[in-house]
């Protein structure tokens, strides 16, 4: 196998290469088939008797402790003469290296990189995705020092990152905080450059799939030009969209001036699938301001070895979700119909999430580090993304109303960017003060009712401000609802709190066997329920804890059609003006109330 070796590695010994950086990283990716790589890190001379070496226990963008250090093996430490140094493991992500005398320290180890779905690391014969949190150790003593990363890769590979390139496969950053928020994509990939509103952009795509890369560039260009609808400047000169077309992994993570977006390789062509991609791209792009340029004080600075607790994660995540479709709508990438369909889906999902009645969004934010999801979360928790979106909607409508359309939620985020940009961090009191500055009103009571208590919104009154109403259509009728869901088998994945199944004593994990004595199949479950009417009582046979039992279940009701948002009858001028101030586009309905394409 021919290898592409950066010239800087040929002409300069690893330890003496201090021209570009004080901390030097080298990673050997020349045998990638089994997800393994060799890492060397050269730290400057230290006068300490013990040099602390850390690997983060979480990665930025995912507020959850992860077993990242489990990927490290063959840890070694040497002084500048090559003599082995004693070390000991002192925490899950910490090593203590003993120094006999002041010396540079070289640390080397093997890293196993096979966490593609976590968007931490992945190495195979076609590429390597490297998030520093799972690859590169650091020393707190040198966290603020300049760093350089050099890759040794197969010849055909091409390397990209949000960091400054100093060679075909070499990058530099001002410090470890920049490195840890600037992932590297290297391998066999497609690459495009484009520009928008005076900034340079790159699109790097790894993996084959049914995507149209020219369409992606076109829409990303339009999206990238819309940031000025909220903020008055950019925290970057160059931005990199990294896209993984995968065999199943999906998700996305924001970074300092880049993002990685993962989608199953054949989930790009259909419009609904493509909307999932482009909305995700918008979400991560917005994060470049909201989280990366300004964020809650509890996350400033990042503590890579501990949790950063804050009651404001709903602003960091929920507000980002709230703005993502708005920028696409302004850019003409999605239609008003598609925007309103998305909002209707979110409102409908909220009404089917009993946890919204239990947990306030502030509490959900503070507890995000231990949020596990699943049946319990849906029944007993608020979600910082979905409920955070609707809290942002309510706050936006409040600002628009209180200021006669002169200020909106966009203005709040513009102020956060102007006044609380890193290294500052904002607190609850700071947000409330900005709201008071914008509106002339004290928002403490609003905050108590909507943020510190479970969110309860009157959607009909809220939507009417913008000339909208909820509508299930003329064909809608009440159909039977059992209040339980299955996921791929007959084992129940969710039983809605206080729903029909819940009241019958059925719980998540139970396995359905029969209804009214007749066998149930996974494919036929929903059809069987539709055979009955609301109010009917059915006999449900199931295994609960491996014990066969039969219970009586009285069915509830649900609408037969999906929720839609339509125009109110005869919307007035104020409602149309509110709509435009909210979304930045003209009233999209014609005189008959039909959405115009």
């Amino acid at each position: 196998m021919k290898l592409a070796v950066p010239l800087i590695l040929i002409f300069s010994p690893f330890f003496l290469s201090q021209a570009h950086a004080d901390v030097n990283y080298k990673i050997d990716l020349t045998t990638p088939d089994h997800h393994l790589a060799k890492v060397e890190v050269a730290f400057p001379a230290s006068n300490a008797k013990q040099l602390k070496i850390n690997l983060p226990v979480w990665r930025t963008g995912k507020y959850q402790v992860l077993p990242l250090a489990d990927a490290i093996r063959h840890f070694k430490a040497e002084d500048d003469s090559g003599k082995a140094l004693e070390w000991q493991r002192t925490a899950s992500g910490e090593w203590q290296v003993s120094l006999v005398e002041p010396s540079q320290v070289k640390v080397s180890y093997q890293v196993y990189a096979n966490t593609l779905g976590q968007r931490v690391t992945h190495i195979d014969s076609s590429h390597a995705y490297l998030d520093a949190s799972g690859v590169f150790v650091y020393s707190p003593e040198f966290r603020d020092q300049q760093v350089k990363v050099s890759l040794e890769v197969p010849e055909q590979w091409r390397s990209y990152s949000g960091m400054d390139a100093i060679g075909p496969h070499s990058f530099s950053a001002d410090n470890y905080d920049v490195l840890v928020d600037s992932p590297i994509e290297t391998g066999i990939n497609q690459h495009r450059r484009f520009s928008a509103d005076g900034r340079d952009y790159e699109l790097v795509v790894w993996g084959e799939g049914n995507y149209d890369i020219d369409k992606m560039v076109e829409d990303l260009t339009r999206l990238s030009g819309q940031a000025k609808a909220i903020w008055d400047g950019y925290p970057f000169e160059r931005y990199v969209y990294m896209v993984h077309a995968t065999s199943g992994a999906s998700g996305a993570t924001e970074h300092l001036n880049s993002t990685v977006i993962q989608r199953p390789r054949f989930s790009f062509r259909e419009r609904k699938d493509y909307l999932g991609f482009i909305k995700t791209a918008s979400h991560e792009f917005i994060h470049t301001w909201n989280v990366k340029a300004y964020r809650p004080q509890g996350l400033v600075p990042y503590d890579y070895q501990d949790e950063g607790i804050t009651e404001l994660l709903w602003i960091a995540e929920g507000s980002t979700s709230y703005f993502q479709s708005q920028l696409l709508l302004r850019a003409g990438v999605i239609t008003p119909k598609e925007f309103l369909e998305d909002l209707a889906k979110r409102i409908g999902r909220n009404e089917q999430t009993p946890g919204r009645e239990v947990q306030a969004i502030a509490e959900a934010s503070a507890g995000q580090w231990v949020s596990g999801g699943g049946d319990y979360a849906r029944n007993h928790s608020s979600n910082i993304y979905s409920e955070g979106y609707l809290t942002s909607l309510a706050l936006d409508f409040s600002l628009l109303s209180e200021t006669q359309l002169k200020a909106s939620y966009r203005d709040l985020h513009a102020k956060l960017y102007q006044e609380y940009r890193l290294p500052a961090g904002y607190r609850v009191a700071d947000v409330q003060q900005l709201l008071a500055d914008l509106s002339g009103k004290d928002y403490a009571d609003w905050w108590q009712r909507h943020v510190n208590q479970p969110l309860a919104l009157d959607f009909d009154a809220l939507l009417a401000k913008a000339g909208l109403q909820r509508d299930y259509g003329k064909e809608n009728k009440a159909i039977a609802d059992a209040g339980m869901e299955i996921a791929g088998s007959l084992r129940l994945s969710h039983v809605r709190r206080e729903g029909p199944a819940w009241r019958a004593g059925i719980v998540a994990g139970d396995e359905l066997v029969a209804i009214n004595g007749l066998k149930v199949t996974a494919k036929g479950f929903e059809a069987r329920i539709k055979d009955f009417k609301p109010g009917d009582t059915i006999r449900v046979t199931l295994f609960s804890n491996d014990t066969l039992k039969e219970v009586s279940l009285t069915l509830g009701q649900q609408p037969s059609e999906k929720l839609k948002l339509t125009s109110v009858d005869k919307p007035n001028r104020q409602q149309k003006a509110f709509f435009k101030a909210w979304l930045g586009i003209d009233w999209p309905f014609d005189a008959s109330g039909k959405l115009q394409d």
Side-chain angles (χ1 to χ4, degrees), residues 288-468:
T288 318
W289 288 263
N290 185 22
V291 168
K292 292 308 173 186
Y294 58 89
R295 58 178 174 259
Q297 191 177 69
L299 292 168
V300 180
Y302 283 144
D303 183 346
Y304 303 118
Q305 308 312 124
D306 204 356
E307 305 164 355
I309 305 298
T310 171
E311 293 184 351
L312 293 168
L313 271 183
W314 70 269
I315 292 183
E317 294 294 348
S319 298
T320 303
S321 295
Y322 178 64
F323 285 132
Q324 67 187 38
S325 289
Q326 291 191 29
L327 289 195
L328 294 171
L329 180 64
R330 287 172 177 266
V333 175
I334 66 173
T335 65
K337 180 181 179 182
E338 289 168 335
F339 176 86
L340 293 177
E341 286 175 344
D342 178 74
L343 178 54
K345 184 177 180 180
R346 292 176 181 275
I347 292 172
R349 186 188 302 142
N350 173 261
E351 294 178 332
Q352 293 297 314
T353 305
R356 78 188 191 283
E357 302 170 334
V358 177
Q359 188 181 49
I361 197 66
E363 182 185 354
S365 294
Q368 181 64 22
W369 289 88
V370 291
S371 176
D375 178 74
Y376 172 76
R378 288 179 65 180
N379 280 327
H380 300 280
S381 303
S382 287
N383 183 284
I384 62 171
Y385 294 85
S386 54
E387 274 66 64
Y389 176 111
L390 295 174
T391 305
S392 299
L393 172 70
L395 187 49
D396 197 1
F397 275 39
S398 175
L399 278 171
L400 286 165
S401 299
E402 295 294 343
T403 64
Q404 289 75 52
L405 309 185
K406 294 178 181 178
S408 72
Y409 198 46
R410 298 189 306 278
D411 296 298
L412 173 66
H413 279 264
K415 289 285 188 182
L416 286 171
Y417 179 58
Q418 292 167 1
E419 301 184 22
Y420 292 96
R421 192 169 175 178
L422 295 180
Y426 60 85
R427 304 162 300 165
V428 170
D430 300 320
V431 178
Q432 291 183 357
Q433 184 59 56
L434 290 178
L435 290 169
D437 293 342
L438 288 168
S439 67
K441 282 195 59 177
D442 184 350
Y443 264 78
D445 180 64
W446 190 98
W447 199 272
Q448 180 62 28
R449 288 184 290 110
H450 293 85
V451 178
N452 293 337
Q453 296 177 12
L455 186 67
L457 296 178
D458 182 344
F459 286 111
D460 292 326
L462 199 69
L463 294 168
K465 292 177 181 289
L468 300 174

Side-chain angles (χ1 to χ4, degrees), residues 13-31:
F14 184 57
F15 267 116
L16 299 180
S17 179
Q18 299 293 328
H20 294 286
D22 291 321
V23 179
N24 288 266
Y25 294 88
K26 173 185 174 183
I27 182 165
D28 185 339
L29 298 163
T30 57
T31 54

Side-chain angles (χ1 to χ4, degrees), residues 1-10 25-33 36-38 122-130 135-136 149-160 167-171 184-189:
M1 179 181 290
K2 293 184 179 180
L3 305 178
V5 182
L7 292 178
I8 195 164
L9 297 180
I10 297 175
Y25 294 88
K26 173 185 174 183
I27 182 165
D28 185 339
L29 298 163
T30 57
T31 54
D33 291 353
L36 297 174
K38 299 174 183 177
H122 188 251
I123 298 171
D124 67 13
S125 59
S126 66
H127 90 135
Y129 174 76
L130 307 173
V135 180
F136 300 128
V149 182
S150 298
L151 316 178
E152 192 171 357
V153 300
E155 185 178 31
Q156 302 91 340
W157 286 22
R158 299 184 297 181
S159 304
Y160 302 97
H169 306 286
S170 299
F171 303 94
I184 299 168
E185 175 62 38
T186 179
I188 299 170
N189 47 55

Side-chain angles (χ1 to χ4, degrees), residues 553-593:
L553 187 158
T554 301
L555 295 167
Q557 67 178 40
Q558 62 180 332
S560 62
E561 306 300 318
K562 291 183 179 180
L563 175 65
K564 296 181 180 179
L565 299 184
T566 61
S567 171
V568 299
D569 293 334
K570 298 180 180 179
N572 59 40
R573 185 169 53 188
Q574 289 79 13
Q575 289 171 314
K576 293 180 179 180
F578 193 103
F579 186 95
K580 184 168 186 177
W582 170 36
L583 297 177
I585 64 169
D586 291 329
W587 181 249
F589 297 92
D590 62 21
S592 66

